[in-house]
Amino acid sequence: MFYTIDILGTIAFAISGVLIAINKKMDLFGILIIAFVTAVGGGTLRDLLIGSTPVSWMKDITYTYVVLGAAIFAILFRRKINYLRTSLFLFDTIGIGLYTLVGIEKGLNAELHPIICIALGTITASFGGVIRDILCNEIPVIFRKEIYATACILGGVTYFLLREFPIDYNYVFVIAGIVVIVVRLLAVKFKIALPTIYSKESIN
């Protein structure tokens, strides 16, 4: 279950990276690089923080094959994607939901405190996108008003709360992942955002 979620998250983030790279009119090499760093950037930082080296994608060549396969698929079928922004948002949202759980599980395996596990889940889910946005000359989504990291945190809290009940472990994974995805979707749909310290005058 854990490995499957990791692979699905890799696919989702790789496609997300391809879509934004295409939107930026990058060449084929640039598209592949953006797909790769989006897919493995957060996990790489997580593994370095917990001292798990070589990092996961270096120990298992499957991740490289999955990223390349997802990237090629997204490139070949890019014309079938009628709503680029909607598709990018959807794959990015699915990616953060899946990767939050992967990071939490890694933290638990390292016997870390639940709060640190949630932080690792948020890092895993967010920092691939941070690297992607920086390379694409965008302000990372996590640093804007949008609900992003907050969704990961809420999903992580849900995960640990559900572990206190006699619920099948697989269901705990699924429900916590859905919480991340639903919170992000609802936040964007209803324009829910965290408060800022800036007035409208200072922004203008």
Side-chain angles (χ1 to χ4, degrees):
M1 181 68 173
F2 168 72
Y3 188 71
T4 301
I5 288 175
D6 202 2
I7 293 297
L8 291 174
T10 301
I11 293 171
F13 266 141
I15 294 175
S16 155
V18 168
L19 293 178
I20 197 168
I22 291 175
N23 198 32
K24 290 291 184 176
K25 296 180 169 53
M26 293 186 178
D27 62 17
L28 183 58
F29 181 74
I31 291 172
L32 292 176
I33 291 298
I34 295 301
F36 195 81
V37 299
T38 305
V40 304
T44 298
L45 178 58
R46 174 204 64 218
D47 288 348
L48 291 174
L49 287 173
I50 63 177
S52 178
T53 56
V55 296
S56 56
W57 63 268
M58 289 183 173
K59 292 187 288 187
D60 188 351
I61 194 64
T62 302
Y63 289 98
T64 300
Y65 292 148
V66 166
V67 172
L68 289 175
I72 291 170
F73 174 84
I75 291 169
L76 291 177
F77 292 96
R78 64 189 184 280
R79 298 188 185 280
K80 300 289 186 181
I81 303 173
N82 295 321
Y83 303 101
L84 190 61
R85 290 185 179 180
T86 302
S87 300
L88 171 61
F89 169 73
L90 179 61
F91 282 110
D92 194 58
T93 300
I94 293 172
I96 67 171
L98 296 172
Y99 265 17
T100 298
L101 300 177
V102 172
I104 289 173
E105 186 68 19
K106 287 276 189 176
L108 287 173
N109 290 338
E111 300 180 349
L112 300 176
H113 190 278
I115 292 177
I116 304 302
C117 291
I118 293 173
L120 282 177
T122 303
I123 288 171
T124 306
S126 303
F127 274 79
V130 169
I131 298 170
R132 176 199 66 202
D133 291 343
I134 290 173
L135 291 177
C136 293
N137 199 30
E138 296 279 350
I139 298 175
V141 176
I142 193 175
F143 300 141
R144 295 183 230 161
K145 291 192 301 179
E146 292 183 26
I147 299 294
Y148 196 93
T150 306
C152 302
I153 294 169
L154 291 175
V157 171
T158 301
Y159 175 85
F160 281 104
L161 288 176
L162 291 177
R163 279 168 56 94
E164 300 299 317
F165 295 93
I167 302 174
D168 185 271
Y169 195 57
N170 291 332
Y171 290 133
V172 172
F173 262 83
V174 172
I175 294 171
I178 289 175
V179 167
V180 178
I181 294 170
V182 169
V183 168
R184 174 103 170 102
L185 291 175
L186 291 177
V188 171
K189 180 176 177 58
F190 296 104
K191 296 181 171 55
I192 302 171
L194 296 176
T196 67
I197 62 172
Y198 306 104
S199 64
K200 291 183 179 180
E201 291 78 9
S202 63
I203 295 176
N204 295 331

